[in-house]
Structure formats: structure tokens, C-alpha cells
Amino acid sequence: MTLKPPNPFRPHALRLPPARLRRLLRPAAALTAVIALSAATGWGVASLASERAAPDADAVRAALKLRLPKTPVDAITCEGLGGLCEVASRSTLFYVDRAAQYLVIGRVYDMEARQDLTAARLLALNPDLLAAGAARRSDAGDQSAESPRAAPQTVSLAGLPENGAIRWGPEGGPEVVVFSDFHCGYCKKLEAELKAIGARVEERPISIFGTDSRRDAERVLCSPQPAVSLRMAYGGIALANPKPCDTSGLDANEAFAKANGFNGTPVIVRPSDGAVLEGYRPAKVLRDFLEGAPAQAAPANPAQRTKG
């Protein structure tokens, strides 16, 4: 009788208990499944990720040329926008998907960073855009505002609440109270002039330009660092929504401005005697005014009297 050697590929020939045999075969089966899954999906996912990481901007440009033949395309960026491609066309932006089938017009916000990506990009493309927009708003404000007064008036600041003010500037500098709107181009220019003379500013926002102005005023006032948020607001940087706070001081500012006929911004008040200047002023005029020199009548340059 001839004995045949056991066939290693026949489990019963190993004569192992069934439970032990299953334990030995389980890792091999798992490895086989992983290899199969990797071949079926993993390499495909890696390939897809590679394609998404480096989209063909030329293909997007070609598709746009067919679908928007009269629209100039200066640059296309498809990175960091969650699947969208940003298209720069002269001084404007719009967005398309990677197949250039869908077009999106509007603003893109990074919700984690709380940043307006569109605004930041527009400023990078055209640094003069913010100033131009502010000037247009200023012109609109001028058309609706009353004619500037020829000489300053005097007001009493008594009764204005502390929680309606944002204080900034060095301690010990010449003190000034400013009624402003963060959407006002000349208020932004005035901020730079006050900073240049080292003024200690008590800024009191009022809403000349409506609900957007009020919303930004509340964001600045309720911010953990109002002075920092104030500069962000004037710089056109999107503001985060802070925790709600007491905004009754803004209501008091509005009532005070209305009672005293402040129809535009900025309005500058000297705290020592309540003397008022309406409109933007350059650094030298501000310094003289705050040091108590007689206030000038209407200046020769009408632009210095422009409000809003």
C-alpha cells in the first residue's frame, strides 16, 4: 500500500480542529479583501483626488470661451474654494464649477475663518476698489444731506451713555468725540487724520446708511476688542458676529444726532466746550480745532466739508 503525501491545499488533510483552522484562514481572507478593495476603489480615489488637486484651468477657460464669448477672463483659480473655480474678469469676480456648467455670482464666505473671501480677493485685484466705493457712497450721502452749516454750533454731550462709545488712540492725546458711520468714506479718511495727530477718540457710531451700518456698528461695539474691530470695519474686512451685548448706547447716539440735526457723517465735537465741526478735516485743521483755536468758517475747498 502506497501512502500519498497530504495535500496542503485540502484543509481536511491538515487534520486541524475546525476552530483553529478558521483562525488561521481569517487573516489571509482579510488581506485578500483589502487588496481587492484597494484595486477597486483606493487607486481610483487617489486618482480622483489628484485630478481635483490640479484641475485643468485651461479646460475651464476653453469652456468659458464657448459659453461666455464676450466676457474677458483674466485669471482662473480653482484651489481652496471647495470645488469652485474663481474667475477674475477685469475688476469683478464670479465662480464656476470645474466643468464650467454652473455659474455663481455672489460672495464666498469661509465659515470657519469667518472671512469674506470675495472681498479680500477683490481688494487684492484692485486696491483702489474700496476707496472708490467709499467715495461713491460719500457722493450719495452729499446729495441727500442738507447744505453744510457755515459755522460750527455748540452741543452738550451730557447724558450720552458710556456704552455707546468706542475709545481708541493714545491716552493723553487731544480728546475728540466723533459721530461716524463705518460705511462712510470720509469717516475712514478722518480716522487716518486723527491717528496722525495722536488724538484720543471717543467714536460714536450712527446709521446714516441704514441697516447695514447699524449691523456693523453692533458688531464693532459688541466685539471683545472694539478698537480693533473698528479698524477692520473701516478696512472693509468682514466682521464676526459676536455675542449679543447691550446696544442701547447706539440708540442714544441716533437720538442725539437727530435732535441736533446731524444729517451726515462725520461730525466732530470738541469735548471741552461742545464746539462742532461737520465733515472731514485734515490733520492741521483738526489739531488747531482741538487745541482750542477759533474754528474756521466754511473752507475754500468744498471737499473738506463733504459728509458721509
Side-chain angles (χ1 to χ4, degrees), residues 47-94:
S47 175
L48 179 61
S50 176
E51 291 177 1
R52 286 178 177 260
D56 189 356
D58 291 337
V60 175
R61 186 184 296 272
L64 287 174
K65 188 173 182 180
L66 290 174
R67 292 165 182 168
L68 299 172
K70 295 183 180 181
T71 301
V73 175
D74 301 322
I76 298 175
T77 302
C78 298
E79 298 178 0
L81 291 172
L84 292 176
C85 292
E86 172 196 281
V87 182
S89 177
R90 295 180 179 170
S91 61
T92 63
L93 292 175
F94 61 89

Side-chain angles (χ1 to χ4, degrees), residues 284-299:
K284 184 181 184 305
V285 175
L286 290 170
R287 183 181 293 110
D288 291 344
F289 173 69
L290 296 179
E291 289 176 353
Q296 298 177 352

Side-chain angles (χ1 to χ4, degrees), residues 184-263:
C184 156
Y186 282 101
C187 297
K188 175 180 171 63
K189 290 180 64 177
L190 181 67
E191 180 213 11
E193 300 295 324
L194 291 169
K195 186 176 179 180
I197 66 172
R200 177 63 176 172
V201 182
E202 177 185 317
E203 190 146 349
R204 291 186 170 273
I206 56 177
S207 305
I208 294 296
F209 292 102
T211 56
D212 287 345
S213 297
R214 174 63 184 230
R215 182 176 61 249
D216 283 347
E218 291 179 354
R219 287 171 174 170
V220 171
L221 189 71
C222 297
S223 166
Q225 295 181 297
V228 174
S229 294
L230 178 145
R231 285 177 172 78
M232 291 175 63
Y234 278 137
I237 300 173
L239 299 171
N241 290 316
K243 294 181 179 179
C245 71
D246 181 7
T247 58
S248 61
L250 296 177
D251 298 330
N253 293 346
E254 302 276 6
F256 182 89
K258 183 177 181 180
N260 287 280
F262 297 166
N263 298 307

Side-chain angles (χ1 to χ4, degrees), residues 22 29 38 40 53 61 66-67 75 82 105 114 118 130 140 160 182 199-200 230 233 258 286 290 298 305:
R22 286 194 297 271
S38 298
R61 186 184 296 272
L66 290 174
R67 292 165 182 168
I105 298 176
R114 294 188 175 184
T118 303
L130 179 62
L160 281 172
F182 295 126
R200 177 63 176 172
L230 178 145
K258 183 177 181 180
L286 290 170
L290 296 179
R305 298 294 306 208

Side-chain angles (χ1 to χ4, degrees), residues 97-144:
D97 66 311
R98 293 172 189 270
Q101 180 178 356
Y102 302 101
L103 183 146
V104 179
I105 298 176
R107 294 185 177 274
V108 174
Y109 288 87
D110 185 330
M111 296 179 66
E112 182 175 352
R114 294 188 175 184
Q115 182 180 8
D116 186 338
L117 300 181
T118 303
R121 181 66 175 141
L122 283 171
L123 288 175
L125 289 173
N126 185 2
D128 296 330
L129 187 63
L130 179 62
R136 286 193 293 271
R137 288 195 299 269
S138 300
D139 292 342
D142 291 341
Q143 294 173 3
S144 62

